[in-house]
Amino acid sequence: MEDRPPALKHVLRWRRRALLFWADGSRTVITFDAAGRAWADHATAAGRLRGGPFERGALFPRAGGASEAGSSGPALHAPVAGIVARVHARAGQDVAAGETLLVLELMKMEFPLVAPRAARVLAVHAAAGVTVEKGALLVSLAT
Amino acid sequence: MKVLVFNRGEIAVRACLAAKKLGLRSALFLTPADHEGPAARLADEIHLCPDAEPARSFLSLEELSRAVRETGASHVYPGYGFLSESEELARAVAEAGALLVGPPVEALRVTAHKGRAAELARRCGLATLSVASEPSAADFPVLLKAARGGGGRGNAFVERPEQFADALRQLQHRALSLFRDDAILVERFLTQARHVELQFFGFGGLGVLALGTRDCSLQRNHQKVVEEGPAAPPVAAALQPHVEAICRELGALGYRGAGTVEFLWDVARRQLHFLEINSRIQVEHPVTELLIGEDLVEWQLREALGLGAEALFRREVAPRGHAVEARLYAEDPAQGFVPDTGTVHHLFLPAPPHCRWDLGVAEGSRVTPHYDPLLGKLVAWGNDRAEALGRAALALQAAELHGVRTNLTFLAAIVQHEAVREDRHTTRWIEEAFLREATGAPLPAHVTAELPRHGREEPAASQKSEERWKIAHRR
């Protein structure tokens, strides 16, 4: 899927930005946000997406590769930044695999966090109504 | 006179600009999430709502009443989404001593209710997709719709009879909490369909104007992604005989302001079915604006405030050429279109001639998890469909927006796709063909079969059917 980028011909730099001119005639704008992460525009000669914090990902998800809600470790992190809509899990509770522990809401969409396997809830780190960043620790499970 | 802009994003920008053009004072209802947004720079004054959460801001009648009292606004502009189509909003505005820019409560009671609107449509000779509340096996797949809901979360798709009872119960539960009404309608689901709509504009006692058609078949997950106008000639021709009756029925309700009648065109049977009426301005209204050369948000304010409404009603409007709109969302196509949040730190959106970006963000704006991920829209006009699509592609490819992931690449790929250029897509094309194609998944059999074109190669028919879009029903 990933092809090698063509050779770089010119670079124009200005404040926190750069404009890259590639040998194949395409160009890419790179900018840096306040956290120092690099961002690039999508319009490359190959028509490939190079957007977002500089991850040169594929343009579209792989078949059946929709984003998985939650992670599979003993700790569950927020898959997206969002608002905690509902908390179903309580500390000390035994939960079954697939049970919804907590629901995040983001722009009118709900993202349920489900237990990856049967486990005991050690702690719930967020309350309903709280805004959380992507990757924030939400629920710890005992394995 | 002062207009309270009770919305956010690009539609709030449009309302502030229209107020300025008409020499009216605008007061913007502003939440902490939008302090850095463009609307705050354009409004004459702001009313600060302390909480960004929709339930305690744009969905709160209490906060609205407080804003009307504190700003002393004479009118409230609701835009789209949030409470824009609710009778409660119309009543709350009246109780607060202001006037709502939109249809009166008596008209909303019919048009914003899916069941009553369907009765109105049947009186106009239109077919609907309704089936009995206990559908038979032959009716499947069916679509369940909350009577008072709008789009996405108010709908449920049911493929097989054995899933019906569960889906119905779930949607009733959701409808009760979201729309405070658990009435559900059951409709036949068309697998090969085009989504078409008629833009109308009501002038109360004067009557209702039909302003032309749009086609919004490019959808993902029942959400419109790319819209265009006018609709293909065969569809417009099928709608034509009903337009006068629709305007007459809406006129009898005393309808005021912008509204849309939505239809589904059954591609295989070549039949038109009424879907619903949207009793507000729509996201895709700029398609019509480019076709007729008017500012519909300004029309809304002029009609509501009595600023030369009669002159607008008498104005000759004739759609010309073709227009395309693409919705820019803060979402990541590479991760199943999950919405993204962040701060826009870089924005470069050149617009070719006859193109326009309607944006709700500026450099420095934050995109927060509180609201819909719509960042803005690109609209492009051309003498014909190919030119409009070409200009849209040009603008989308040149666009740079950094700080939040967007669907820009996805949009650019859609407007350039062969199936779209050849007008062969249906409402499920993005999910069933386009996304599968991009990921290499096999296509379902009915997608690989050659789909009929939509007859845009008959320009004579197009001109003929568009000629009579100027129909106005005068009471």
Side-chain angles (χ1 to χ4, degrees):
Chain A
M1 191 84 194
E2 187 78 325
D3 56 356
R4 202 178 310 147
L8 198 58
K9 249 179 129 182
H10 307 285
V11 180
L12 294 182
R13 282 174 224 275
W14 69 111
R15 213 176 108 77
R16 297 178 80 162
R17 276 146 226 198
L19 182 50
L20 313 182
F21 292 84
W22 304 98
D24 67 353
S26 65
R27 63 194 65 187
T28 308
V29 169
I30 293 179
T31 67
F32 295 89
D33 63 20
R37 284 177 308 177
W39 290 70
D41 65 278
H42 62 93
T44 65
R48 291 268 158 79
L49 179 75
R50 292 185 180 181
F54 210 77
E55 297 152 6
R56 232 186 274 136
L59 177 45
F60 298 106
R62 273 174 243 292
S67 65
E68 299 266 327
S71 62
S72 56
L76 293 185
H77 299 269
V80 294
I83 298 153
V84 179
R86 295 186 294 282
V87 178
H88 298 290
R90 280 172 293 105
Q93 182 189 357
D94 289 319
V95 292
E99 198 172 328
T100 302
L101 304 179
L102 180 151
V103 178
L104 275 179
E105 193 177 301
L106 170 57
M107 299 176 187
K108 305 204 308 198
M109 283 170 69
E110 291 191 344
F111 296 85
L113 243 77
V114 299
R117 56 185 162 271
R120 173 163 292 178
V121 177
L122 278 181
V124 180
H125 306 280
V130 169
T131 304
V132 295
E133 292 295 314
K134 181 175 176 176
L137 176 63
L138 296 177
V139 180
S140 319
L141 299 172
T143 43
Chain B
M1 285 188 282
K2 189 191 284 183
V3 179
L4 174 69
V5 179
F6 190 48
N7 211 308
R8 56 177 301 281
E10 65 87 22
I11 196 66
V13 169
R14 290 287 312 277
C16 291
L17 289 173
K20 215 176 272 286
K21 183 184 176 221
L22 296 171
L24 302 166
R25 248 187 113 66
S26 57
L28 179 70
F29 185 95
L30 188 68
T31 74
D34 292 332
H35 285 185
E36 304 89 348
R41 300 179 207 174
L42 294 166
D44 294 316
E45 56 185 270
I46 52 175
H47 170 83
L48 291 174
C49 172
D51 200 329
E53 186 53 33
R56 291 181 292 279
S57 55
F58 293 106
L59 293 176
S60 163
L61 296 174
E62 244 170 85
E63 288 297 333
L64 165 80
S65 306
R66 180 174 302 134
V68 171
R69 275 199 314 276
E70 289 181 6
T71 58
S74 58
H75 291 77
V76 174
Y77 183 81
Y80 48 71
F82 299 121
L83 293 170
S84 59
E85 278 178 285
S86 79
E87 291 169 42
E88 287 85 355
L89 177 72
R91 282 201 203 92
V93 170
E95 276 163 28
L99 294 166
L100 184 70
V101 179
V105 176
E106 306 78 58
L108 275 178
R109 278 245 300 278
V110 177
T111 58
H113 188 282
K114 291 196 167 80
R116 292 181 205 125
E119 283 166 32
L120 183 151
R122 282 190 284 267
R123 284 200 299 276
C124 298
L126 288 158
T128 63
L129 289 164
S130 315
V131 294
S133 51
E134 290 284 329
S136 65
D139 293 326
F140 283 86
V142 296
L143 194 64
L144 306 183
K145 288 183 167 179
R148 303 227 298 172
R153 290 220 283 174
N155 291 349
F157 171 67
V158 189
E159 197 155 10
R160 288 190 303 275
E162 61 269 24
Q163 302 163 329
F164 182 76
D166 271 352
L168 181 66
R169 205 165 333 110
Q170 276 175 22
L171 185 63
Q172 277 173 334
H173 180 77
R174 201 156 67 215
L176 199 60
S177 68
L178 284 173
F179 318 113
R180 275 168 270 151
D181 188 344
D182 67 353
I184 306 290
L185 302 175
V186 186
E187 289 184 352
R188 205 147 52 79
F189 184 84
L190 297 179
T191 47
Q192 294 294 317
R194 299 275 287 206
H195 178 111
V196 261
E197 51 190 39
L198 172 72
Q199 174 75 55
F200 65 88
F201 201 98
F203 289 84
L206 290 171
V208 172
L209 282 184
L211 298 178
T213 55
R214 293 186 290 257
D215 182 310
C216 315
S217 302
L218 287 164
Q219 306 183 355
R220 193 190 64 80
N221 219 355
H222 302 291
Q223 300 273 10
K224 295 166 189 169
V225 176
V226 172
E227 302 100 333
E228 60 180 303
V235 189
L239 176 55
Q240 176 66 52
H242 307 287
V243 173
E244 200 168 344
I246 293 170
C247 288
R248 194 184 323 117
E249 287 283 343
L250 291 164
L253 292 173
Y255 196 95
R256 298 179 60 174
T260 304
V261 189
E262 296 193 327
F263 306 90
L264 270 190
W265 170 255
D266 187 330
V267 173
R269 298 198 185 103
R270 295 173 75 84
Q271 282 170 350
L272 196 66
H273 300 274
F274 168 84
L275 268 187
E276 63 184 49
I277 299 176
N278 287 312
S279 316
R280 51 169 165 82
I281 192 96
Q282 276 187 295
V283 175
E284 62 271 27
H285 77 274
V287 167
T288 302
E289 290 184 324
L290 290 194
L291 292 173
I292 63 174
E294 299 285 345
D295 175 346
L296 291 181
V297 176
E298 181 194 332
W299 277 41
Q300 287 184 293
L301 293 181
R302 285 180 62 177
E303 191 284 322
L305 279 76
L307 301 168
E310 182 147 3
L312 290 183
F313 183 65
R314 308 274 169 223
R315 194 173 280 185
E316 284 294 315
V317 288
R320 200 173 77 79
H322 201 90
V324 176
E325 177 185 273
R327 297 190 186 192
L328 180 60
Y329 284 114
E331 61 184 17
D332 188 356
Q335 283 184 55
F337 295 89
V338 58
D340 198 20
T341 57
T343 300
V344 177
H345 67 272
H346 171 74
L347 197 63
F348 175 65
L349 301 172
H354 305 293
C355 293
R356 164 178 122 203
W357 286 96
D358 282 0
L359 286 176
V361 292
E363 266 183 32
S365 287
R366 281 181 303 136
V367 181
T368 67
H370 300 284
Y371 313 109
D372 187 276
L374 183 73
L375 298 173
K377 293 128 39 168
L378 165 80
V379 259
W381 181 88
N383 284 294
D384 54 32
R385 191 168 180 271
E387 191 178 40
L389 284 170
R391 282 198 179 120
L394 198 59
L396 292 166
Q397 283 178 312
E400 295 166 13
L401 194 157
H402 294 184
V404 56
R405 290 180 179 87
T406 71
N407 64 342
L408 268 170
T409 308
F410 170 69
L411 293 174
I414 285 179
V415 298
Q416 293 178 90
H417 197 283
E418 199 189 344
V420 173
R421 283 200 323 247
E422 293 179 357
D423 215 0
R424 286 188 279 112
H425 58 277
T426 63
T427 50
R428 302 219 288 178
W429 174 78
I430 288 182
E431 279 143 321
E432 289 186 337
F434 182 74
L435 288 178
R436 282 169 193 253
E437 198 178 284
T439 57
L443 299 176
H446 66 272
V447 174
T448 47
E450 183 71 9
L451 280 171
R453 289 177 168 227
H454 290 274
R456 293 211 200 259
E457 61 276 10
E458 311 155 28
S462 155
Q463 278 160 16
K464 213 162 106 200
S465 66
E466 289 299 336
E467 254 165 41
R468 290 192 55 217
W469 283 122
K470 289 175 265 178
I471 296 177
H473 172 67
R474 299 187 161 92
R475 283 214 296 194

